[in-house]
Structures are given as C-alpha cells and as structure tokens.
Amino acid sequence: MKYDKDDMYVMLENPLVQQVLFEVMDEDMMGFDVLSILIDLGEVTDDEISRQLDVKLNNIRKILYRLYEARLVNYNREKDEETNWYTYTWMPALEKLPGLVKKKMEKLISTLKDQLSMEEDNLFFYCQECEIKFTFEDAMDNCFKCPQCDGTLYEYDNNEDISNIKNQINYLEKEYTLNSLFS
C-alpha cells in the first residue's frame, strides 16, 4: 500500500509505531526529524538533511542506515564522474512499517505472555538490600541468603507484577487489534 504525506504523519502519531521506530533508531529522537524531512521532500540527500537539521553528516547517516536495515527507507546512488564521489538520495518506504510493527508487537506480546506464565507459576523471594528477585529454587540453592550481600531473602508478593504484565498485554492487544493500520 502506498501512503501519501498525511497518511505517513498519521501513522507516525501511533504510539506503537513510535515505540518501534524509537527502537529501530536506537533511541535517537533525531530520527523522527530525519523521517519528517524524508516525508516532506520525498527524495533528499543525506547532506541536505544534515544541513537542514544542523547535525553532523555521520549522525544522519547512522540514522538512515538503521532505517534502511529495517527497510523503512530506500536510496539511489549516483556517481559524480568528475570527483568519483557517490551521492546518495534517500526516500521513505514507510509502506513496510505496519508489517514491522505487527511483527514486533506479536513478539512482544508473546514475550510478555511467557513472563506472565513465569510469574504465575513460581514462588519468588526478594533481597530488600539489593532489590533482586529470586525464584524459590534459586533462593533455596542459596539457603535463602542473597549471594550479593548475604542478607536474608524474604517471600515476595508478585501479585502487582502479574497485574502489571496483564495490563500491558491487554493494552497492546487492544491497541494492536483495534488499529486499522495492522489489520
């Protein structure tokens, strides 16, 4: 599916999309500015992006390469016959973004369900000094003493952890299933 500028900006407002892009761009907020320029101009060189944002060219290239690895941008390469230098012209390829978000959300939900199962099926102990949580088996192996500080391990009530994980799963599944972007 091909998106116009408005569709792309609407897509970028989605919190799940933002989270996945933030991860793809290695938590570099500058990446959203780079994407905005790509969306606005359609095709632009890395040098032009660097000048517009007043950011070092190497930083812009790192972001573009991360986006390219996720297949969210494409480029054309042209060689200047006089200087033998290559010029890269970048363009957005955000039509692949919903599929990427869908894949990451399915993996995250699966991981959270595994974590929930672990929390529900185990008894935990906790070191108040080190703030480390241990399964019953690990606590027993250490004679209910913390291996870090030798303090006593106390039984840990993980009902709040279970509730938080369930809330995360419910939120992600609701956001994921109700959003037409991922249908």
Side-chain angles (χ1 to χ4, degrees):
M1 177 178 202
K2 196 76 171 155
Y3 296 106
D4 64 20
K5 284 182 188 182
D6 292 336
D7 292 336
M8 287 188 219
Y9 277 117
V10 167
M11 192 183 334
L12 292 181
E13 290 174 8
N14 182 288
L16 297 180
V17 170
Q18 290 174 355
Q19 182 59 41
V20 168
L21 285 172
F22 193 59
E23 182 183 315
V24 164
M25 295 181 291
D26 202 27
E27 301 182 4
D28 188 344
M29 292 300 293
M30 181 65 58
F32 289 100
D33 296 329
V34 170
L35 276 173
S36 291
I37 290 173
L38 286 167
I39 291 168
D40 286 342
L41 300 180
E43 289 188 13
V44 62
T45 65
D46 46 11
D47 193 46
E48 289 175 64
I49 296 170
S50 173
R51 281 195 308 269
Q52 282 192 25
L53 295 176
D54 195 26
V55 174
K56 290 183 180 178
L57 185 58
N58 283 348
N59 294 343
I60 298 301
R61 286 181 177 158
K62 283 179 192 175
I63 292 168
L64 288 168
Y65 295 149
R66 286 186 198 118
L67 290 168
Y68 179 75
E69 285 175 8
R71 302 297 182 241
L72 299 176
V73 296
N74 292 320
Y75 67 87
N76 288 325
R77 183 175 82 161
E78 294 179 22
K79 186 174 182 178
D80 185 324
E81 296 302 324
E82 291 179 22
T83 62
N84 282 333
W85 286 71
Y86 288 101
T87 301
Y88 291 84
T89 304
W90 297 85
M91 65 243 23
L94 297 181
E95 61 275 357
K96 297 170 187 154
L97 187 54
L100 178 65
V101 172
K102 183 176 181 178
K103 182 178 169 184
K104 295 230 182 236
M105 284 304 107
E106 288 171 351
K107 183 178 178 183
L108 178 58
I109 290 169
S110 174
T111 300
L112 285 169
K113 286 181 177 180
D114 291 346
Q115 186 180 353
L116 177 62
S117 179
M118 172 74 165
E119 290 289 335
E120 291 177 331
D121 297 342
N122 287 288
L123 180 62
F124 292 94
F125 286 80
Y126 184 75
C127 173
Q128 293 175 341
E129 181 69 29
C130 299
E131 299 182 355
I132 300 174
K133 188 167 86 170
F134 299 90
T135 62
F136 174 77
E137 292 79 16
D138 290 339
M140 193 169 72
D141 288 347
N142 289 305
C143 299
F144 298 92
K145 295 283 185 188
C146 177
Q148 301 278 333
C149 70
D150 205 36
T152 302
L153 298 179
Y154 298 96
E155 190 170 344
Y156 179 76
D157 180 6
N158 67 341
N159 286 326
E160 189 175 330
D161 296 347
I162 290 170
S163 177
N164 288 337
I165 295 169
K166 285 180 179 178
N167 288 339
Q168 286 179 320
I169 291 170
N170 288 336
Y171 170 77
L172 290 173
E173 285 179 336
K174 181 180 171 189
E175 187 70 30
Y176 178 70
T177 54
L178 293 180
N179 196 313
S180 62
L181 193 60
F182 311 118
S183 316

